[in-house]
Amino acid sequence: MAKNLLIVESPTKARTVKKYLGPDFEIMASVGHVKDLPKTRLGVDIENQFKPEYVTIKGKGKILQQLKEAGKKAETVYLGPDPDREGEAIAWHIAEELNGKDKKIYRVLFHELTPKGIKEAMASPQSLDRNRYESQQARRILDRLVGYQISPLLWSKVKRGLSAGRVQSVALKMICDREREIFAFEPKEYWSVTAHLKAEDPPPFKARLWRYDGDKIELKNQEQTEALCREVGGQVFRVAKVTKRKKRRNPPPPFITSLLQQEAYRRLGFSAKRTMSIAQGLYEGVDLGPRGQVGLITYMRTDSFRLSADSVEEARGFIAKRFGKEYVPETPNRFKSPKGAQEAHEAIRPTSVELTPEEVSPYLTKDQLALYTLIWKRFLASQMAPVIYEQTVAEIEAGKALFRASGSTILFKGYSVLYEEAKANNGSGDKKEEEAILPPLKKGQVLTLEQLEPAQHFTQPPPRYTEATLIKALEENGIGRPSTYATILSNITERDYVKVEKGRFRPTELGFLVVDLLKKSFPEIMDVKFTAQMESGLDKVERGQVRWTKLLEKFYSSFQKALERAEKEMRAEVPTEIKCPRCGRHMVIKSGRNGLFLACSGYPECKHTANFIRDEKGRVVMIEASAQETEEVCDICGRKMLVRSGKFGPFLACSGYPDCRNTRGMDEQEKGGAGNRPTTRAQDLVCKECGGQMVVKRNKRGQQFLACSNYPKCTHTEPIKTGVPCPEERCEGVLVERSSKKGRRFYACDKYPQCRFIMWDEPYNDKCPVCGTKVLRIKRAADGSAKLVCRKKGCDFTRPLDQD
C-alpha cells in the first residue's frame, strides 16, 4: 500500500507525474476546485468580517469523498495543484477537508512536469501559503460582492441576463471609450511628396520630402502641394549628406502570459481563452509515444522573465550546435521582469529544447503544434545574438527642399534566422515607408528625377481594440491579471456587450447603455485607476503587507453607499438631445424585449416611442414611423420596404406584412461593383423544391443566404452565389458567400468538400495583368472607395475598382 498521497488538480497532470514517482505514491486528481461560494446566493457574511460560505461544488462530492478516504490511509499527503493563487486555494480547501491539523500535509509546486522539475518539487515540500490563499479569497469575495450585487440591479432596472464585474465592466468601458474617441475624431487632410530618383548605379529609389527652407513643412492641401512640386521639379537633385551607421536589434524576451496571448492572437489568430486552454494541455503533459506522458512547457501563468540557469545553458548549447557559435552571445541574455512580478515562476519555455517541434509534431494536434512551435522558437530566440544591420540615410537637396531616403542592409541575421515578432496591426492608417536598398551614393552626386509623386492623406482615428491590443492596454493599466484576461474577454462577448468585426471589438448599444448606467451609479468601480489600485492591494495581501479583511472593509464602505444610492436613484435610461415630436420633452434610450429604443421621458403622460440608429459621429438619430418608408422595393411583391428594428438591430421589411414576409439587412443593397462580379438577385430565382420565390435572409451570425418565401412550409435554402468561377484548375465550381463560426464573411467554392478553395475578400472575375493569377480581391476602404488587388503573395498589382 502506498504510504504517500499526492493530489493534483488534473487527471492529465496526474498521469504525467505518476510516470516519474515510484510505488510509494498514490496519485489522485481533484479535477479543479472542490469548494466554492454558492451559486444561488451571495455566500459572504458581510457583518462577520466578510466570512465566506464555502460549499462543495455540484458533482464533486464523490471525488472529495475518495480523496478523504485515501487521505486517511496515507502517512503523508502532498498537495500539488498549479503554483498560483487558484492552485493555492484548491490545495487549502482540500487540506481543510482532510483535517490537516492531524496529518502531515505539504504543498509542492510543479513549475515544469519533467523528471528534474518533479524531483526538485518533491524534494522541497513547503507548508501551505496562507497569504497567497487569502489573496485569492479576497479577489473571489470582491468579485462576488460586485457581480452578485450589481447584476441583480441591472436585471430589475434594465433586463434579466445582464452581468457586471469588477474587471469585466472596466474592460467594457475602455472599449466604449475608444468607440467614442472614434466618433469624436475629425480627420485632417495632409499631403506628402515622394521623389522617384535614379543614380548612376541601380537600383532606382524613392526619397520623401522632409524639410523646406531648413524647417519641417506641413502640406495641408492640393494647391500648396502642386505649387511646391512645380518649384521643386525644375531643380537639380543633389546628394547633400550620406550617413552610415551600424545598429543592433536585440532579441525579444521569452513569453510571459500576456505576451503569449498577444502573439498567439497576432500570429495564429487564437483567442486568449483558446491560447490558455492549449497551453494548459502542453504544461500538464502530452503522450509522446515511446517517451510516455511528458510536460512540454513550463507553467503558463506567469509575469516573470526569469529563466533557470540550466535552461539557458541548454539553449546556448543547442543554438551553437544548430546555428553556429556566432549566434550565441558572449553572456546569456537577461530580461527585467515587470514591477511586482512573482520571480518564483519562470517565463514560459519548453521543458527541453531537444524536444523540437519537428520531433513532437506526430503526437500533437494542429493547434498544439502551432503554439508549442511559437513558444519553442521564442525561447531560443531570446538567448540568441542580436541582429546587426547597417543603416544608410541620404539627404538630397533640390533648391530649398530637402528630401530623405533611408535603407538598411542586414550584416548578421542573429535571432531573426529563427524568429521575427509579429507586427501589431494598429489600423492607424498610413504605414511608415519601408526601408529599401539604396544604390551607392556620395556627397555632391547629381541624381536623375524620374517623377515627383504627390499623395493625399487623412489622419486616422484611433483603432478599435483587438484581443491583443486590449490585453496590452489592460496590462499597462494594471487591470486584472493575465490569467483572468481570457475569461474577461469571453464574458463581454457572450453577454452581447460587444461585437467582433474583422477581429476588433465594437460595443453594441446594450454595451453603451450598461457602461453609461454603471459610470453614473458606480464611478469608483468603473474607474481605471481605482481598479488598478485594488489589484495592487491584492498583491500586497499575497506579500503579507495588508490583511485581506482590511482591504475588503475599505472597499465595501464606499461601495455599499453607492449600491444603496443606485437602488433608489438608478433609472434604466440614458438621456439624449432628441426632443419628443409629440410633447417636446427629451427622449431617452431604454431597453425592451426586442432591444433598445427611444421613449419619451414624460412617460406615462406621453407614451411616444421610436427606433433609432447612430450616425458616423455616434449621434443618436430617431427613425420616426412616418420616416421609416424607404425607396427600396420588395423584390417579391413590389411594395415599399420599411425600416424596422429587431434583436440584431435595424433591418428592412416589406410594408405588405403579414401577406409578404420578405426582409433583408440594411447593408444588402447592391454595393458598387464591376460587371465582372455579378451577384445573385433573389427575384431572379425560384425555389428548386416548391417553385416559390427565393428571398435574401440573414442568420444570427450576420451571414446572408437565400431562402424560400414559403417558409415554414418549405425550408429550402441556398448560399448566395457571386457568379465568379472558382480559380482552381479543373474545378467547375462557383464561389459562394459563407460565414465562419465567429460571423466573419468569406468566399468558398460551392463544390466543397471536393474543392477547398476559400478567400476572405470579395472576389472579382479577372486575371492579374502582372502575374496572371485568376480571380482578384476587392479591398474596400471606410470612405467607400475600393481597389482591386492580386491574390498572389509578393505580387503588388493594384488598381482602383471602377464602381460605375
Side-chain angles (χ1 to χ4, degrees), residues 53-199:
E53 176 197 347
Y54 288 113
V55 297
T56 302
I57 295 172
K58 188 177 180 180
K60 292 295 181 73
K62 185 177 180 181
I63 293 173
L64 199 51
Q65 186 59 38
Q66 290 172 348
L67 295 179
K68 285 181 181 180
E69 290 174 2
K72 290 176 183 177
K73 299 173 185 176
E75 293 180 6
T76 308
V77 177
Y78 296 90
L79 302 175
D82 289 347
D84 58 10
R85 290 172 180 170
E86 292 299 320
E88 202 66 34
I90 294 172
W92 196 275
H93 290 153
I94 293 173
E96 287 179 336
E97 291 295 321
L98 297 185
N99 193 14
K101 294 179 182 178
D102 303 329
K103 187 171 289 292
K104 294 178 183 178
I105 295 183
Y106 298 103
R107 179 78 164 103
V108 288
L109 304 175
F110 299 115
H111 295 288
E112 59 179 82
L113 298 182
T114 60
K116 180 174 177 292
I118 293 169
K119 183 178 178 181
E120 287 179 353
M122 298 305 296
S124 54
Q126 307 172 11
S127 57
L128 291 167
D129 189 331
R130 175 177 286 276
N131 291 335
R132 181 179 285 179
Y133 166 65
E134 289 181 346
S135 175
Q136 187 276 343
Q137 181 170 262
R139 178 187 293 277
R140 187 76 184 93
I141 293 172
L142 271 174
D143 291 340
R144 175 57 66 101
L145 292 173
V146 173
Y148 269 50
Q149 292 188 284
I150 296 182
S151 295
L153 192 62
L154 292 175
W155 298 350
S156 62
K157 302 285 186 177
V158 187
K159 73 170 186 177
R160 292 196 66 81
L162 300 183
S163 75
R166 185 178 60 86
V167 179
Q168 164 194 316
S169 298
V170 177
L172 177 59
K173 174 181 176 290
M174 291 172 65
I175 294 171
C176 291
D177 287 348
R178 176 58 59 87
E179 194 69 18
R180 289 189 166 108
E181 287 178 44
I182 295 170
F183 287 151
F185 182 81
E186 294 290 344
K188 293 181 180 179
E189 180 184 11
Y190 70 97
W191 287 70
S192 65
V193 177
T194 302
H196 293 249
L197 301 167
K198 186 190 291 185

Side-chain angles (χ1 to χ4, degrees), residues 362-373:
Y363 309 102
L364 304 184
T365 65
K366 182 181 176 183
D367 287 354
Q368 285 178 326
L369 179 61
L371 193 66
Y372 180 72
T373 302

Side-chain angles (χ1 to χ4, degrees), residues 346-365:
E346 282 192 68
I348 304 169
R349 61 169 176 81
T351 54
S352 172
V353 293
E354 298 294 339
L355 292 173
T356 64
E358 295 78 17
E359 189 169 346
V360 300
S361 64
Y363 309 102
L364 304 184
T365 65

